Amino acid sequence: MVTTAALPPARTPTREESITAWALAARGGDTEATERFVRALHRDVRHYVTFLGADPQSADDLAQDTFLRALGSLHRFEGRSSARTWLLSIARRAVIDSIRHTSCRPRLADTDDWEGAAERVQPRGLPGFDDGIALGELLDTLPADRREAFVLTQLLGLPYAEAAAVSDCPIGTVRSRVARARTALIKWLDEAERAPAPRTAV
């Protein structure tokens, strides 16, 4: 007879395991699991599509499109990868499709101050707002492939193997892109710190 004291303590599932479990339960029609799945990953998806180049106004639409696509194809999700990796792959395709669609349409308006326009639609007065804008501007200077690798691994916390799966490239390529992105960001930050402060009129 096995006593309760002899049994090993139950292991608490990791966040990734919980999210994947919710996705699998949502596939079976569990509405509460669906809500948990969406809530757990909405912020990651929105950050990812924003850093891939989506403007602030379209980021919410792209995040919504990502979840609509994901929920529509949940029946094909089998849990072979984490649900977050699977969802970010869908988000990446949503961004690519959006860029292709936009490039085929004539531009109705143009502005020289697109950065100012983007900043004006951002929420003000939130903690870290200025830091977020500065980071966003720095990341925008990186080539798209390096920016994506850096965001996936350093901001969203994906392991390199999962980032490689999302980006559809070898893991060594992801490591190289992240290393180059870090080098460039550190160089630009050092240059910014050494730059003389602008003089103000007296």
Side-chain angles (χ1 to χ4, degrees), residues 6 20 32 43 51 57 69 78 81 85 88 95 112 120 132 163 170 178 196:
T20 300
E32 184 180 348
R43 186 170 179 267
F51 283 116
Q57 289 179 315
R69 292 182 185 206
E78 298 178 354
S81 64
T85 299
L88 291 176
V95 171
D112 293 331
R120 282 193 293 276
V178 171

Side-chain angles (χ1 to χ4, degrees), residues 8-29:
R11 186 178 69 85
T12 304
T14 65
R15 179 174 183 264
E16 294 294 325
E17 290 170 340
S18 295
I19 292 171
T20 300
W22 292 332
L24 291 170
R27 184 183 68 171

Side-chain angles (χ1 to χ4, degrees), residues 160-184:
Y160 283 96
E162 292 189 20
V166 170
S167 303
D168 194 25
C169 67
I171 188 170
T173 302
V174 172
R175 290 185 188 281
S176 172
R177 289 173 180 174
V178 171
R180 291 180 181 181
R182 279 181 180 158
T183 300

Side-chain angles (χ1 to χ4, degrees), residues 62-120:
L62 282 167
Q64 183 178 17
D65 181 35
T66 297
F67 281 104
L68 287 173
R69 292 182 185 206
L71 295 176
S73 59
L74 262 178
H75 62 282
R76 293 198 297 269
F77 177 65
E78 298 178 354
R80 292 177 183 168
S81 64
S82 76
R84 185 160 67 142
T85 299
W86 174 74
L87 185 65
L88 291 176
S89 296
I90 293 173
R92 187 174 195 263
R93 286 194 295 275
V95 171
I96 291 170
D97 290 346
S98 173
I99 291 170
R100 286 177 179 158
H101 177 71
T102 302
S103 66
C104 293
R105 288 167 39 200
R107 296 182 68 176
L108 300 178
D110 199 1
T111 176
D112 293 331
D113 186 24
W114 60 269
E115 288 181 343
E119 287 188 20
R120 282 193 293 276

